Amino acid sequence: MKVETEKHAAKKLAADINSMLSEYPGSMKFMEVCGTHTMAIHSSGIKSLFTKRLGLVSGPGCPVCVTEKLFIDQSIFLGKELGVCLVTFGDLIRVPGSSGSLADFRSQGGMVRVVYSPMDAIDIAIQVAPKPAVFLGIGFETTIPTVAATVKTARARNVQNLFVLPAFKTIHQPLKMLASQKDLTGFLLPGHVSAIIGADSYKYLASEYSKPGVIAGFEGLDILLALRSLVRMTINKEPKIENNYKTVVRQEGNIFARALIDEIFEPSDASWRGLGLIPGSGLAFKSPYEEFDALNRFNVEVQEEPDDPRCKCARILTGELTPNQCGLFGRECVPEEPVGPCMVSSEGTCAAYYKYGGVSIDA
């Protein structure tokens, strides 16, 4: 589609939405759950198209942002005190822990390797053997199948010095918690995660919480189409789950990937930055694969330290605040010197606000 055609279509969709809002007696507040949606909304200027009667807030869909500081501290403990080779995705490396980040540890001589795929951890483990290598296991259902495949491959290749420090998260339990918030009208649902878990898995949002949800792609027009559907469903009081990303997301999801997850992992409780401990929202190794669990293999004794009380990442992740309501934002907390994970991650809400601005026009 040509640029001018896209602009015309975007203006038409925004006009439709604003027209519907003008006849609605209240305001609406939708949460985009996925960090990639957050970046797309800001980079395309979507927030500037609407009055404050249409609120868009970011949710806990950025895996780096919801990873607690304790996990960083445990990782550095493994590297510093036990001489482990740490293997991680690049987004995690600058997240501040209690005594610095993984990047700081690496600059001090610590062994930290950055990878694009968990599978790369196998080759690294072979390279550093007999020293143990630990993959830092963060992420949602999008990433977890690849980690599960890595574990199976490591076993098949008899790689005995590779372990995983698990901090995996699954999306449904926190969504249920957020859906119970009265001021949240509905959800722009995560496209990537939905490709694994399937559109049908969200039906409870409509049936139990009367909240609409739309799975959308990541182009500006995709998001505007989803918002129009969400506004329309809200006005008509007909909450449903719509799948507007059918080229990627099937109703039943990716059955093979889910089976792979179920073979290696089982549900467990998990701590989320900003949301606290949520029962059943994480994944732990099943007993046949516990040998890969770094927490079982190593004695990781790390005291949990409180977050900087000035950092508002926790409240930003639940849609309670926007980044510019944090006193550190743009002052002490900037991408080059982040205080909280929301400014670190390329999908973080604060990073999106800082890069593109969080603009909305007055009602």
Side-chain angles (χ1 to χ4, degrees):
M1 188 180 292
K2 293 181 179 179
V3 173
E4 289 304 317
T5 305
E6 288 184 359
K7 286 183 178 178
H8 177 76
K11 288 180 180 178
K12 176 67 168 58
L13 285 168
D16 286 349
I17 293 169
N18 282 322
S19 176
M20 286 190 287
L21 285 169
S22 67
E23 299 177 4
Y24 186 71
S27 59
M28 301 183 192
K29 184 177 178 182
F30 298 111
M31 172 177 279
E32 84 270 4
V33 179
C34 174
T36 308
H37 273 147
T38 297
M39 294 303 290
I41 286 169
H42 284 269
S43 64
S44 60
I46 284 177
K47 289 174 81 80
S48 67
L49 297 175
F50 306 111
T51 71
K52 291 181 178 178
R53 295 182 64 197
L54 177 63
L56 293 174
V57 294
S58 305
C62 162
V64 171
C65 301
V66 297
T67 299
E68 291 202 314
K69 186 166 62 176
L70 176 64
F71 182 78
I72 304 298
D73 293 345
Q74 289 175 330
S75 302
I76 293 175
F77 177 89
L78 282 167
K80 182 179 291 185
E81 305 298 332
L82 304 181
V84 162
C85 174
L86 302 173
V87 185
T88 180
F89 294 130
D91 261 12
L92 198 62
I93 197 165
R94 292 195 306 119
V95 176
S98 298
S99 59
S101 65
L102 291 165
D104 295 330
F105 174 56
R106 184 171 64 177
S107 70
Q108 297 160 9
M111 189 178 293
V112 180
R113 302 285 184 84
V114 174
V115 295
Y116 292 103
S117 167
M119 281 289 185
D120 295 336
I122 294 177
D123 292 334
I124 291 173
I126 293 171
Q127 292 167 12
V128 303
K131 184 187 288 291
V134 171
F135 178 75
L136 306 184
I138 69 166
F140 293 98
E141 289 93 336
T142 319
T143 306
I144 297 168
T146 316
V147 179
T150 301
V151 167
K152 287 194 70 172
T153 304
R155 172 172 283 182
R157 295 176 61 180
N158 196 30
V159 179
Q160 298 184 11
N161 65 322
L162 177 62
F163 306 92
V164 177
L165 184 63
F168 302 115
K169 305 288 193 297
T170 56
I171 200 65
H172 285 311
Q173 296 306 321
L175 263 187
K176 291 178 180 177
M177 179 183 293
L178 292 164
S180 65
Q181 293 183 11
K182 290 183 179 178
D183 67 334
L184 273 181
T185 311
F187 296 92
L188 182 64
L189 295 168
H192 296 147
V193 164
S194 301
I196 304 299
I197 64 178
D200 286 343
S201 69
Y202 297 106
K203 287 181 176 178
Y204 60 88
L205 289 174
S207 62
E208 297 178 26
Y209 299 94
S210 298
K211 301 287 174 76
V214 179
I215 302 166
F218 299 96
E219 299 296 328
L221 292 180
D222 296 331
I223 294 168
L224 287 170
L225 280 167
L227 290 175
R228 187 174 66 175
S229 294
L230 287 168
V231 170
R232 180 181 293 130
M233 283 191 280
T234 302
I235 291 173
N236 294 337
K237 297 181 180 180
E238 294 177 346
K240 295 184 295 184
I241 304 302
E242 290 188 0
N243 179 10
N244 288 4
Y245 200 29
K246 292 180 179 176
T247 54
V248 174
V249 178
R250 296 195 294 266
Q251 294 301 114
E252 72 278 15
N254 186 325
I255 296 173
F256 175 79
R258 293 214 311 273
L260 191 56
I261 294 174
D262 291 342
E263 178 183 346
I264 309 294
F265 301 108
E266 61 188 2
S268 67
D269 299 345
S271 289
W272 296 59
R273 186 187 288 253
L275 299 174
L277 183 70
I278 304 178
S281 68
L283 291 173
F285 280 96
K286 284 184 173 177
S287 56
Y289 292 93
E290 283 180 343
E291 67 194 71
F292 289 95
D293 189 339
L295 290 175
N296 279 348
R297 174 64 177 79
F298 304 102
N299 186 20
V300 185
E301 294 185 355
V302 177
Q303 186 71 32
E304 185 170 5
E305 299 290 338
D307 291 330
D308 186 329
R310 301 173 303 160
C311 175
K312 305 302 182 189
C313 276
R315 297 173 69 184
I316 290 168
L317 287 168
T318 57
E320 185 180 348
L321 297 178
T322 55
N324 49 14
Q325 292 176 298
C326 173
L328 301 179
F329 177 75
R331 300 179 178 86
E332 292 183 58
C333 185
V334 294
E336 295 77 17
E337 296 286 342
V339 176
C342 296
M343 185 63 88
V344 176
S345 172
S346 61
E347 295 186 346
T349 308
C350 294
Y353 264 70
Y354 188 87
K355 187 172 183 179
Y356 300 109
V359 183
S360 62
I361 58 179
D362 293 332

